[in-house]
Amino acid sequence: MSKEINAYKQNEQNEEDNNILNSSLDSGDMDKMMAKFNNDNKKYENNPIFDSFVGSIVTELKCQRCETTSYSFKNLYFIFYDLTKHISKEFDLINDGFNADKTHYIEKDKYCNFCLSEQKHYEYNKYNKMSNQLVIYFYRGRAYENNTNITFNEYINLIEFVENKNGSNKYYLTGSINRIEKNGKEEFIYFARDCNNFNVWYNNTDEIISMDNAPINDIQNTGQLILLFFNKKE
């Protein structure tokens, strides 16, 4: 028994400070975790890059033996989708992306502080808060190997996919980086919305910058690598 107690104490000591172990996540637990998380991020106060591009994720880790669940926060810098693992040639940003993220979990072996033994755990990563500037990165593998078509709207509402419902979760497409093949060579096209006039777009290649009044079809029909969305508060 002393061996198990020592193992428990050692594991407890190594737990992250912002983890709270409980059978349920109540508002008090959430407030404590958020306070610790926000305090850790105070060093980034008044940093425009951090304020614009960093959100947060809440991780839920559930033991399959005793069903005890632990929670922790971490920063979210961008959203990543690996298209090389996507079977279909069509990828819908909402249905295949955000909706799938809600139920996706990772199975792993981990020591449980309550069972005092190595057990199977399910790990869920849930979006707690999105950043103001949302960066979505699509991995397509080597050039020209993946031609999955990504469908999305210029306007998306993400409120059903975040735990923190405060504030606006409405986003507008503001930019895209696309990869195409031209004359047997790899080329990148950059689409950018005028931040002062949302009806004006610019189409940028390595050689020329031009205006593009209706780029949504061009963006959707070429190999998207990065999509940029802006939280436009109304």
Side-chain angles (χ1 to χ4, degrees), residues 193-227:
R193 189 193 291 266
D194 190 326
C195 60
N196 295 316
N197 186 345
F198 260 49
N199 295 319
V200 176
W201 281 83
Y202 296 95
N203 179 336
N204 313 309
T205 65
D206 294 334
E207 301 176 351
I208 189 170
I209 298 177
S210 59
M211 293 186 65
D212 192 335
N213 293 325
I216 188 65
N217 291 331
D218 294 333
I219 294 176
Q220 288 188 339
N221 292 331
T222 55
Q224 307 91 340
L225 295 178
I226 295 177
L227 294 178

Side-chain angles (χ1 to χ4, degrees), residues 73-88:
F73 281 99
K74 59 184 177 182
N75 289 324
L76 171 67
Y77 299 96
F78 59 88
I79 295 174
F80 174 81
Y81 293 116
D82 187 350
L83 297 184
T84 64
K85 297 180 179 179
H86 188 66
I87 299 175
S88 172

Side-chain angles (χ1 to χ4, degrees), residues 65-103:
R65 181 182 180 187
C66 66
E67 297 188 348
T68 300
T69 304
S70 63
Y71 302 87
S72 63
F73 281 99
K74 59 184 177 182
N75 289 324
L76 171 67
Y77 299 96
F78 59 88
I79 295 174
F80 174 81
Y81 293 116
D82 187 350
L83 297 184
T84 64
K85 297 180 179 179
H86 188 66
I87 299 175
S88 172
K89 290 300 182 181
E90 297 287 333
F91 183 93
D92 183 81
L93 181 59
I94 296 299
N95 294 326
D96 298 314
F98 289 103
N99 263 331
D101 291 340
K102 289 174 62 176
T103 57

